Amino acid sequence: MAAERGARRLFSTSSLWLYCLLLLFGRPAPGAAAARSGSPPQSAGASIRTFTPFYFLVEPVDTLSVRGSSVILNCSAYSEPSPKIEWKKDGTFLNLVSDDRRQLLPDGSLFISNVVHSKHNKPDEGYYQCVATVDSLGTIVSRTAKLTVAGLPRFTSQPEPSSVYAGNSAILNCEVNADLVPFVRWEQNRQPLLLDDRVIKLPGGTLVISNVTEGDGGLYRCIIESGGPPKYSDEAELKVLPDPEETLSLVFLKQPSSLVRVIGQSTVLPCVASGLPAPAMRWMKNEETLDTEGSERLVLLAGGSLEISDITEDDAGTYFCIADNGNETIEAQAELTVQAQPEFLKQPANIYAHESMDIVFECEVTGKPTPTVKWVKNGDMVIPSDYFKIVKEHNLQVLGLVKSDEGFYQCIAENDVGNAQAGAQLIILEHAPATTGPLPSAPRDVVASLVSTRFIKLTWRTPASDPHGDNLTYSVFYTKEGIARERVENTSRPGEMQVTIQNLMPATVYIFRVVAQNKHGFGESSAPLRVETQPEVQLPGPAPNIRAYATSPTSITVTWETPLSGNGEIQNYKLYYMEKGTDKEQDVDISSHSYTLNGLKKYTEYSFRVVAYNKHGPGVSTQDVAVRTLSDVPSAAPQNLSLEVRNSKSIMIHWQPPSPATQNGQITGYKIRYRKASRKSDVTETLVTGTQLSQLIEGLDRGTEYNFRVAALTVNGTGPATDWLSAETFESDLDETRVPEVPSSLHVRPLVTSIVVSWTPPENQNIVVRGYAIGYGIGSPHAQTIKVDYKQRYYTIENLDPSSHYVITLKAFNNVGEGIPLYESAVTRPHTDTSEVDLFVINAPYTPVPDPTPMMPPVGVQASILSHDTIRITWADNSLPKHQKITDSRYYTVRWKTNIPANTKYKNANATTLSYLVTGLKPNTLYEFSVMVTKGRRSSTWSMTAHGTTFELVPTSPPKDVTVVSKEGKPRTIIVNWQPPSEANGKITGYIIYYSTDVNAEIHDWVIEPVVGNRLTHQIQELTLDTPYYFKIQARNSKGMGPMSEAVQFRTPKASGSSGKGSRLPDLGSDYKPPMSGSNSPHGSPTSPLDSNMLLVIIVSVGVITIVVVVIIAVFCTRRTTSHQKKKRAACKSVNGSHKYKGNSKDVKPPDLWIHHERLELKPIDKSPDPNPIMTDTPIPRNSQDITPVDNSMDSNIHQRRNSYRGHESEDSMSTLAGRRGMRPKMMMPFDSQPPQQSVRNTPSTDTMPASSSQTCCTDHQDPEGATSSSYLASSQEEDSGQSLPTAHVRPSHPLKSFAVPAIPPPGPPTYDPALPSTPLLSQQALNHHIHSVKTASIGTLGRSRPPMPVVVPSAPEVQETTRMLEDSESSYEPDELTKEMAHLEGLMKDLNAITTA
């Protein structure tokens, strides 16, 4: 009766199987697990324990603190009786008894006072866990919480001075560590700055001010206040500028960066742009515009930043920040990744069980990234073993329960975001006491009837007490020898006397016993039976729990466990995988229990299996598991996009899906975007669902060009779109008020049993044609009629009789009716005629027939160069009517490439018109273009290629690899080497070298050195010893100057004794001021003062010499007249003669009496040994003020000049700038006696002005200057500066040998003012400032005859050199005493000029 009462109670709680358990006195039901949470199993006379509530009310959370402050980590647990609370830090229990800074509060929370934190001592920072224990129940642990202590205040970036136009946005950087951001605030003019809707602080600390006003100007600084003394950043001034009333290009001041956030958090995607007009900011996500006005979670902050509150998983994606001010649009993008903390989908449940039973705690979690799961029993980690196993990823299985297994089990899930715990209680029940009645005796003759490697089959006989045993059930208890934990296996039905024990280990001894059970309870146990399983072949078994899951569209992770029968140490695993539908299996060796395969195809199914290896070889393979990679957005655009203009208000769009390999999932639809070509910002979007491959766009404006593009969709989003394709609606709709006109042609081709009919549409294409009607019959066309689509141009009439005469008619029709017919007749061929084969098999009347010939390729392909990066391609299509109007769905494909480098791939673009604008090309690059036409499934071959070279562009990068080295043996000479710019954008025609001793000097104060042609090295002489110089190089081509290189520093060697220049005199003092001002010494070298007494002696001596010179001039002038006139006539003849000097002694010019800067020797102008002089089309500017480093707007007519002479180039390429000795000042040559426009202007080649040159040369001037030759060789034989070289700073090589070359006047006779005196050359100018109004001389065009200039020649060449050149140039020039006297005289005149000028 007691048992029946217990049964009724159990039925009331829907625990029927427990009723059976009680009826059997607590015996486990066969194959049953354990009783889960609910009412405990009860029986008469048994005291059943109930589950005790034991859980955390409050768990600690992650906390940020600062050094020196106090922290409370909250923790509170509920239980009866009250639990004991302890704390762990980094897995170790804290001893709070003797800790004066950390103490346990009454509710169980941990209080830490005066947090300690330094660079090398961080005792408080770490992971904390609360542990609650009830002695009679067990122990539970809380989630772990991280305590972070903010580091020492430190700025990673500080505010910098900036200027902003009123109405624009400004940012002031103040980046600090993430843990210090909450402690950052800003001050303006040392006063706290109040934040509002216009002034915000970004999460990183940066200050953003939008719609700046004058009041926003001032000094700003940010402060970190983290408990200690505040730390201040540098102060930066923000200047507010008035509106310049001009447009400024848009530029991002702050761009968004990719972020990772957790569900429920908030974030800010920073984005600030500046420009005039001030831009409007908007955001898009995955190509969909975000509505920030109608959303509570999305807020547009000051400056344009986007704030997202309460983040959800749907917020993940790519965000685009777009700034638009009406003139231009710029955009930036960032990826937002959303993570989720672990959450329990299924928590472990409390379990009742008996000893020897097997139980499973279930635990199902979710999170992103996928959480890992570990189990804890009474606060201690559960280590997997033969009896504790992790099954089905997260569940805990306990085999062969023993009393000590009782307690609290917790499932702890953890990922990068956080961790969580959930627990359950296990109660081990005692067996119910037996009821009154006989119990069975022990089963008899227990034997192992079958022993294998992994299972044993046991059999027995009934107990002696119950020979029939029909109502008995049996339980088999077994354990490994030496293990106290016993497991149980029950028979499946009453009376069964055998059982098979599975999942045993090979070569292992097991102890078995069998117990019979009747309605009164368990009987006696059989004697223990010792059985050893068979040894297994020494190879591993299959790896259990193999599982594969996709982690991304291109990766799959496979996991498994160690084989139960490893047969020794597992050395490694081999993972086999294969793409579905292929027969090629691949494998990879792995040493761990998981592997992630990357680089797989998107949305593709793969199969996997694992084989374990030990020292004996491969084991048993697992079963195959199949999994498909995740889908993704399509990686390619739809194919074959074409446009068909239907009428004035609609356009039909056709396309094909992306190739299967690029679809990356199931195509769910297509997104069509279209816009007017004139309003590119106004885009309309249409969605097409399913597998539809065409769409009619209606409601368009008539006579308007529209752009279209199509993108494919999957569940993951939108793939890339096609290129924009253009079509123009008709100005007016086609006429359908009358029937179509007659087709323009009809052709028939008879075969044996069929006739191929082809035709062309009516010539008047302004009338609508809906289709064509084909009539045919023997002798009459009215026997049969077939109608085809208006696009069709071919049709095959089949099932005809051989050798029969057919009449065929063709009519175009529309909704009004049929038009005028066109007739043709044909006789089918006889059966015996095999000369033709039916090539066209038509299955349906409306199936188009392929063209017997392929489509004609486009012809007349032309490439028109429009700019440095744009070429327009045009062509004609012979398959179109004469007016070349496209009315069908054909489209053209343009391809282009350049042969540099050789492996360049073709680029393609589609067009629906007969031209295409190719943009984004490289400057000065030869491209080849070809075109093909596609109509439906038919395509032509590629057309003939057209070629075009883009225009040159100024170099967009500076010369690279600039190096400066000292020349061996010449410490005052350096060699500058460089490489051409990587983006020359044209033929390099020269370089400009800038150098200075002050890297911060204005560029017009730097000394310039021209380099002609494409040389990559240059020498600069006479520098100051032990002085740092800075060098920059600028390249030029026919379009102008490129950017300058970065400054390269070089220090000249220290002096080692005498300079080696014995003729060098002491320089004038710095206090000396000449009549005209110039620049400072180019090298910044100090000048030693000249002794005043010495100067006085020199002046007096020269004065005496001057008187003697005047007398000598008077004596010799009368004797020289006749010879002088001869020489002048010869010079005029030479000037007007040929410029091809080499090998023509008759055309040799008179010697060039212009004085060489360095060596004071005459150079004849006919000594060029170079048969192929390299010249440039771009003259070098005259001085540093004329050079704008990045100015590309050079006058185009200047580029037409060419020099006709190049000096001999030898190993030592010298600079032509005079006197580079470091102690020498620069010298400027004034031309105040001439009109300003003539004093500095380069003169065109004398090839264009022979008359003026001749007249000027041959005029009888009696001035001493008239004897000076009109041509000048600018360089020595070691110099290659053969072109118009700038002489912004000309320095004399000797204090008494100063010289500068005057500029050449413009064509035509020079008009000199006779009243103005000749301007002597300046000498020895140690100048401390620069007067910009002074015009400096240009070295001018080399090899040209020049009219005489009103400049006193200060010195004469050496006598021997002059004599030799006079003999070579003209036989009448013979040396005599007069020549020697003149040389001596001119030397004295030069000295006189130098002194008197000073």
Side-chain angles (χ1 to χ4, degrees):
M1 296 299 294
E4 293 175 1
R5 288 195 301 271
R8 284 195 293 270
R9 286 196 296 270
L10 286 176
F11 275 124
S12 67
T13 58
S14 302
S15 300
L16 181 60
W17 68 273
L18 285 177
Y19 167 62
C20 298
L21 178 67
L22 289 174
L23 288 179
L24 296 175
F25 300 98
R27 166 191 170 277
R36 302 203 173 266
S37 57
S39 299
Q42 299 178 20
S43 63
S47 176
I48 304 299
R49 290 188 293 136
T50 59
F51 295 116
T52 303
F54 187 17
Y55 53 87
F56 284 102
L57 297 172
V58 179
E59 294 186 78
V61 296
D62 295 346
T63 305
L64 173 64
S65 179
V66 296
R67 185 177 55 176
S69 65
S70 298
V71 175
I72 294 180
L73 296 175
N74 293 311
C75 178
S76 177
Y78 172 79
S79 177
E80 289 295 339
S82 297
K84 172 187 175 185
I85 301 295
E86 296 177 290
W87 282 86
K88 283 184 178 181
K89 177 181 179 292
D90 299 329
T92 303
F93 280 102
L94 293 174
N95 183 8
L96 301 178
V97 177
S98 59
D99 198 327
D100 57 349
R101 288 194 308 108
R102 290 180 284 207
Q103 57 180 313
L104 193 65
L105 299 181
D107 64 346
S109 299
L110 178 65
F111 176 74
I112 305 175
S113 62
N114 190 21
V115 171
V116 175
H117 190 80
S118 63
K119 184 176 181 180
H120 301 291
N121 184 26
K122 303 175 181 179
D124 294 332
E125 192 172 63
Y127 291 90
Y128 289 81
Q129 189 175 42
C130 178
V131 181
T133 304
V134 176
D135 292 336
S136 58
L137 293 176
T139 301
I140 58 175
V141 295
S142 71
R143 68 179 301 276
T144 57
K146 183 180 181 181
L147 175 60
T148 303
V149 182
L152 298 176
R154 189 175 293 109
F155 296 101
T156 56
S157 70
Q158 301 195 45
E160 297 179 352
S162 59
S163 300
V164 61
Y165 290 104
N168 246 311
S169 297
I171 65 169
L172 293 165
N173 289 319
C174 181
E175 300 289 341
V176 298
N177 294 334
D179 51 6
L180 291 173
V181 170
F183 310 106
V184 173
R185 65 177 181 86
W186 281 87
E187 288 185 353
Q188 179 187 10
N189 297 325
R190 303 292 178 94
Q191 297 298 319
L193 180 65
L194 299 179
L195 304 180
D196 52 26
D197 292 341
R198 196 177 60 84
V199 181
I200 65 169
K201 184 183 74 172
L202 295 179
T206 298
L207 184 69
V208 178
I209 307 175
S210 65
N211 193 19
V212 172
T213 62
E214 291 185 4
D216 294 322
L219 296 175
Y220 288 82
R221 67 178 181 179
C222 65
I223 304 100
I224 302 177
E225 294 177 328
S226 59
K231 185 175 180 63
Y232 296 90
S233 71
D234 296 338
E235 276 193 325
E237 182 179 8
L238 178 65
K239 293 183 178 179
V240 181
L241 306 178
D243 189 344
E245 298 184 355
E246 63 181 22
T247 60
L248 293 178
S249 298
L250 290 180
V251 62
F252 279 114
L253 302 178
K254 188 80 171 177
Q255 296 191 40
S257 57
S258 296
L259 297 173
V260 178
R261 289 295 181 267
V262 180
I263 291 177
Q265 290 183 342
S266 298
T267 189
V268 173
L269 293 171
C271 186
V272 183
S274 174
L276 288 178
M281 309 295 290
R282 58 188 175 91
W283 285 83
M284 296 180 66
K285 177 196 169 190
N286 299 335
E287 298 192 0
E288 296 181 1
T289 301
L290 295 178
D291 181 14
T292 56
E293 296 181 358
S295 174
E296 296 181 356
R297 295 193 310 109
L298 304 179
V299 178
L300 196 64
L301 301 178
S305 299
L306 179 66
E307 182 180 35
I308 308 175
S309 303
D310 193 16
I311 291 176
T312 66
E313 194 170 354
D314 294 336
D315 291 326
T318 303
Y319 288 78
F320 297 86
C321 174
I322 302 171
D324 186 358
N325 67 354
N327 296 328
E328 61 176 321
T329 301
I330 58 175
E331 71 174 37
Q333 69 180 59
E335 190 80 16
L336 175 61
T337 302
V338 178
Q339 296 183 337
Q341 292 187 350
E343 289 186 5
F344 289 98
L345 301 178
K346 189 172 187 179
Q347 296 189 9
N350 296 332
I351 296 178
Y352 286 108
H354 290 274
E355 287 188 83
S356 301
M357 290 179 59
D358 299 341
I359 63 165
V360 175
F361 283 109
E362 294 182 343
C363 180
E364 189 174 346
V365 297
T366 183
K368 190 174 182 182
T370 302
T372 60
V373 169
K374 61 183 179 180
W375 284 86
V376 172
K377 176 202 169 190
N378 289 332
D380 295 326
M381 185 77 66
V382 173
I383 300 175
S385 65
D386 291 340
Y387 297 95
F388 287 87
K389 297 184 177 182
I390 305 296
V391 295
K392 294 183 180 180
E393 300 182 54
H394 302 146
N395 297 341
L396 175 64
Q397 183 183 42
V398 185
L399 305 177
L401 290 175
V402 295
K403 186 64 176 177
S404 60
D405 292 333
E406 195 173 68
F408 284 89
Y409 290 79
Q410 289 176 277
C411 175
I412 298 178
E414 185 176 12
N415 63 7
D416 294 341
V417 181
N419 61 89
Q421 61 83 24
Q425 185 179 5
L426 171 64
I427 293 180
I428 305 295
L429 296 174
E430 299 289 342
H431 287 294
T435 59
T436 58
L439 295 175
S441 59
R444 295 174 292 173
D445 302 334
V446 178
V447 295
S449 59
L450 180 60
V451 179
S452 181
T453 57
R454 296 186 177 275
F455 69 90
I456 292 176
K457 184 178 181 180
L458 294 177
T459 59
W460 57 88
R461 291 171 56 203
T462 59
S465 60
D466 195 345
H468 297 288
D470 295 336
N471 296 320
L472 296 180
T473 58
Y474 299 91
S475 295
V476 179
F477 295 87
Y478 65 97
T479 182
K480 284 184 184 180
E481 189 176 40
I483 301 297
R485 186 180 293 271
E486 193 175 50
R487 299 183 62 186
V488 63
E489 185 75 26
N490 300 309
T491 55
S492 57
R493 63 182 180 274
E496 184 177 16
M497 290 179 291
Q498 65 178 19
V499 71
T500 300
I501 309 298
Q502 303 279 357
N503 299 323
L504 302 178
M505 300 296 295
T508 304
V509 176
Y510 288 88
I511 307 298
F512 297 90
R513 63 185 182 92
V514 183
V515 178
Q517 189 176 18
N518 63 14
K519 63 180 180 179
H520 301 293
F522 282 103
E524 296 179 20
S525 172
S526 67
L529 175 67
R530 184 177 183 276
V531 181
E532 183 177 4
T533 53
Q534 295 290 331
E536 193 175 42
V537 178
Q538 299 299 306
L539 293 175
N545 295 331
I546 179 172
R547 178 178 175 268
Y549 56 92
T551 55
S552 78
T554 59
S555 61
I556 292 176
T557 298
V558 185
T559 63
W560 58 92
E561 296 178 5
T562 304
L564 298 176
S565 55
N567 289 325
E569 181 182 358
I570 300 296
Q571 294 180 341
N572 70 301
Y573 299 90
K574 183 164 287 190
L575 173 64
Y576 294 88
Y577 64 99
M578 181 172 60
E579 181 183 343
K580 184 179 180 181
T582 65
D583 56 359
K584 183 180 179 182
E585 191 174 47
Q586 303 179 66
D587 60 80
V588 58
D589 290 329
I590 305 158
S591 59
S592 62
H593 291 90
S594 66
Y595 187 76
T596 299
L597 284 160
N598 297 305
L600 303 179
K601 295 181 181 179
K602 297 180 179 180
Y603 199 64
T604 304
E605 186 173 342
Y606 290 85
S607 63
F608 301 88
R609 64 186 182 91
V610 174
V611 175
Y613 280 70
N614 63 11
K615 63 182 179 179
H616 301 290
V620 182
S621 173
T622 63
Q623 295 294 322
D624 287 357
V625 293
V627 67
R628 183 187 295 272
T629 52
L630 300 179
S631 62
D632 197 5
V633 297
S635 55
Q639 307 178 91
N640 299 336
L641 177 64
S642 62
L643 305 176
E644 177 188 341
V645 181
R646 286 293 180 91
N647 51 47
S648 63
K649 291 186 175 296
S650 64
I651 295 177
M652 175 66 78
I653 308 175
H654 298 273
W655 65 89
Q656 294 295 321
S659 61
T662 62
Q663 292 182 12
N664 302 335
Q666 192 72 32
I667 299 295
T668 58
Y670 296 89
K671 182 182 292 184
I672 302 172
R673 308 179 95 188
Y674 61 95
R675 66 191 184 190
K676 290 183 180 179
S678 59
R679 299 181 61 186
K680 296 187 176 181
S681 61
D682 188 9
V683 178
T684 304
E685 196 172 273
T686 299
L687 290 178
V688 177
T689 59
T691 57
Q692 183 178 335
L693 298 177
S694 63
Q695 178 70 17
L696 181 65
I697 305 297
E698 298 180 297
L700 306 179
D701 295 341
R702 63 179 68 240
T704 304
E705 182 180 2
Y706 285 86
N707 299 330
F708 295 84
R709 71 193 308 179
V710 180
L713 301 174
T714 63
V715 294
N716 302 85
T718 307
T722 61
D723 292 334
W724 289 103
L725 202 58
S726 300
E728 185 175 350
T729 54
F730 297 141
E731 286 286 350
S732 58
D733 292 329
L734 298 180
D735 185 11
E736 200 172 5
T737 61
R738 48 184 175 150
V739 298
E741 295 184 359
V742 63
S744 55
S745 68
L746 173 62
H747 303 281
V748 294
R749 182 185 179 207
L751 301 174
V752 178
T753 60
S754 60
I755 296 176
V756 179
V757 182
S758 61
W759 63 91
T760 55
E763 291 186 356
N764 185 0
Q765 297 189 9
N766 293 322
I767 303 176
V768 175
V769 175
R770 299 290 181 184
Y772 295 92
I774 303 172
Y776 65 94
I778 298 177
S780 171
H782 307 299
Q784 302 233 13
T785 300
I786 295 173
K787 291 187 176 182
V788 297
D789 188 73
Y790 76 98
K791 297 179 182 179
Q792 204 157 321
R793 298 293 182 266
Y794 303 93
Y795 187 76
T796 299
I797 306 173
E798 295 187 319
N799 301 322
L800 304 181
D801 297 332
S803 303
S804 301
H805 185 276
Y806 285 88
V807 178
I808 300 166
T809 181
L810 176 72
K811 295 178 286 186
F813 67 88
N814 57 19
N815 293 334
V816 177
E818 295 180 345
I820 302 172
L822 194 61
Y823 292 90
E824 190 61 80
S825 63
V827 179
T828 53
R829 299 179 181 274
H831 267 303
T832 57
D833 189 352
T834 59
S835 61
E836 293 283 351
V837 179
D838 289 351
L839 299 177
F840 309 102
V841 180
I842 307 303
N843 298 321
Y846 288 88
T847 302
V849 179
D851 194 346
T853 59
M855 293 193 71
M856 298 273 300
V859 297
V861 181
Q862 294 184 351
S864 303
I865 292 85
L866 302 183
S867 70
H868 66 275
D869 65 349
T870 305
I871 295 180
R872 181 180 293 278
I873 308 301
T874 57
W875 60 88
D877 190 345
N878 283 345
S879 63
L880 292 175
K882 291 183 179 180
H883 54 66
Q884 295 284 289
K885 185 175 182 181
I886 302 173
T887 58
D888 51 24
S889 60
R890 73 182 62 203
Y891 66 92
Y892 302 89
T893 302
V894 183
R895 72 175 184 180
W896 66 92
K897 65 171 288 190
T898 177
N899 291 328
I900 302 175
N903 59 351
T904 305
K905 295 182 179 179
Y906 280 104
K907 293 185 178 181
N908 298 278
N910 291 338
T912 54
T913 61
L914 297 177
S915 67
Y916 185 77
L917 200 66
V918 183
T919 59
L921 304 178
K922 296 180 180 179
N924 192 42
T925 304
L926 175 64
Y927 287 87
E928 65 176 40
F929 303 86
S930 54
V931 187
M932 68 180 292
V933 59
T934 301
K935 181 180 177 184
R937 301 193 178 190
R938 299 167 47 227
S939 298
S940 71
T941 58
W942 290 104
S943 68
M944 300 287 287
T945 58
H947 294 81
T949 302
T950 50
F951 292 148
E952 290 189 2
L953 182 68
V954 295
T956 53
S957 65
K960 56 186 180 181
D961 300 337
V962 180
T963 58
V964 183
V965 296
S966 179
K967 187 170 182 179
E968 186 176 356
K970 296 184 178 180
R972 296 181 184 272
T973 301
I974 59 97
I975 301 174
V976 184
N977 303 300
W978 63 92
Q979 291 298 317
S982 56
E983 298 175 1
N985 299 337
K987 180 183 178 182
I988 296 299
T989 57
Y991 297 91
I992 301 292
I993 301 176
Y994 298 76
Y995 65 96
S996 171
T997 57
D998 182 6
V999 71
N1000 297 318
E1002 296 292 336
I1003 195 62
H1004 57 72
D1005 289 333
W1006 290 51
V1007 182
I1008 60 173
E1009 291 285 346
V1011 178
V1012 178
N1014 56 4
R1015 283 195 8 246
L1016 301 176
T1017 185
H1018 188 71
Q1019 292 190 18
I1020 300 178
Q1021 296 181 333
E1022 302 301 334
L1023 300 180
T1024 305
L1025 295 176
D1026 194 22
T1027 302
Y1029 288 88
Y1030 299 89
F1031 297 85
K1032 296 182 181 180
I1033 304 185
Q1034 186 181 25
R1036 74 175 185 275
N1037 59 17
S1038 62
K1039 290 296 182 180
M1041 299 290 184
M1044 288 186 181
S1045 66
E1046 294 293 329
V1048 175
Q1049 182 182 10
F1050 178 80
R1051 178 179 287 273
T1052 51
K1054 295 184 178 180
S1056 56
S1058 175
S1059 65
K1061 300 292 181 181
S1063 61
R1064 179 178 177 184
L1065 296 180
D1067 291 332
L1068 296 176
S1070 59
D1071 295 336
Y1072 173 71
K1073 300 187 185 304
M1076 302 199 62
S1077 300
S1079 301
N1080 292 334
S1081 174
H1083 313 306
S1085 302
T1087 57
S1088 58
L1090 185 66
D1091 186 81
S1092 59
N1093 295 330
M1094 178 67 71
L1095 181 61
L1096 180 61
V1097 171
I1098 293 175
I1099 294 175
V1100 173
S1101 301
V1102 172
V1104 175
I1105 295 173
T1106 302
I1107 298 174
V1108 177
V1109 168
V1110 172
V1111 175
I1112 295 175
I1113 290 175
V1115 173
F1116 284 100
C1117 278
T1118 55
R1119 297 173 55 188
R1120 185 181 176 189
T1121 302
T1122 304
S1123 176
H1124 180 66
Q1125 295 298 333
K1126 275 184 181 181
K1127 294 178 181 178
K1128 288 179 64 176
R1129 286 192 297 272
C1132 292
K1133 179 179 178 181
S1134 177
V1135 166
N1136 295 326
S1138 170
H1139 286 271
K1140 300 178 180 178
Y1141 313 116
K1142 189 171 183 179
N1144 189 352
S1145 60
K1146 295 181 179 180
D1147 295 334
V1148 174
K1149 289 188 177 183
D1152 187 353
L1153 297 181
W1154 294 84
I1155 306 305
H1156 190 274
H1157 294 114
E1158 301 288 352
R1159 304 184 179 175
L1160 297 174
E1161 60 182 6
L1162 295 179
K1163 295 292 182 180
I1165 63 174
D1166 57 348
K1167 293 174 66 177
S1168 172
D1170 190 347
N1172 298 307
I1174 301 173
M1175 293 300 160
T1176 176
D1177 292 8
T1178 307
I1180 302 175
R1182 292 177 293 277
N1183 59 34
S1184 62
Q1185 297 179 23
D1186 296 333
I1187 297 176
T1188 303
V1190 293
D1191 185 11
N1192 303 326
S1193 58
M1194 304 182 70
D1195 192 299
S1196 60
N1197 62 2
I1198 298 180
H1199 303 318
Q1200 305 303 322
R1201 301 185 189 142
R1202 289 193 176 273
N1203 296 328
S1204 61
Y1205 180 80
R1206 181 189 181 197
H1208 177 66
E1209 177 177 345
S1210 68
E1211 176 185 0
D1212 298 334
S1213 178
M1214 305 295 187
S1215 168
T1216 61
L1217 291 181
R1220 290 183 180 80
R1221 294 181 178 89
M1223 303 295 288
R1224 299 292 190 267
K1226 294 172 287 188
M1227 187 195 73
M1228 312 286 285
M1229 182 173 184
F1231 280 90
D1232 294 341
S1233 60
Q1234 302 180 30
Q1237 66 271 22
Q1238 296 181 6
S1239 61
V1240 295
R1241 180 175 177 183
N1242 284 331
T1243 304
S1245 169
T1246 54
D1247 296 339
T1248 62
M1249 43 174 276
S1252 64
S1253 298
S1254 176
Q1255 293 169 7
T1256 305
C1257 179
C1258 297
T1259 305
D1260 287 337
H1261 286 281
Q1262 298 303 323
D1263 300 336
E1265 297 87 337
T1268 305
S1269 173
S1270 302
S1271 57
Y1272 167 61
L1273 184 61
S1275 66
S1276 67
Q1277 294 185 358
E1278 290 82 20
E1279 180 57 35
D1280 189 28
S1281 299
Q1283 305 186 24
S1284 304
L1285 303 179
T1287 56
H1289 309 291
V1290 181
R1291 291 162 286 145
S1293 61
H1294 192 282
L1296 300 180
K1297 295 182 180 180
S1298 172
F1299 184 78
V1301 182
I1304 306 173
T1311 56
Y1312 302 122
D1313 187 352
L1316 295 175
S1318 300
T1319 305
L1321 300 180
L1322 305 180
S1323 67
Q1324 273 306 89
Q1325 302 178 25
L1327 306 177
N1328 295 323
H1329 59 280
H1330 189 78
I1331 298 179
H1332 296 279
S1333 62
V1334 176
K1335 304 297 182 180
T1336 60
S1338 171
I1339 291 180
T1341 306
L1342 303 184
R1344 298 287 187 258
S1345 61
R1346 301 174 184 157
M1349 302 289 293
V1351 178
V1352 176
V1353 179
S1355 64
E1358 296 178 6
V1359 176
Q1360 294 178 357
E1361 180 69 11
T1362 305
T1363 302
R1364 181 182 63 78
M1365 288 189 298
L1366 292 178
E1367 289 175 351
D1368 294 341
S1369 61
E1370 190 72 40
S1371 60
S1372 62
Y1373 288 78
E1374 296 180 358
D1376 53 11
E1377 292 182 358
L1378 175 60
T1379 304
K1380 297 181 181 179
E1381 292 293 332
M1382 284 302 299
H1384 180 64
L1385 174 62
E1386 289 176 354
L1388 294 176
M1389 289 294 294
K1390 178 259 173 192
D1391 293 341
L1392 177 62
N1393 285 338
I1395 299 302
T1396 56
T1397 302

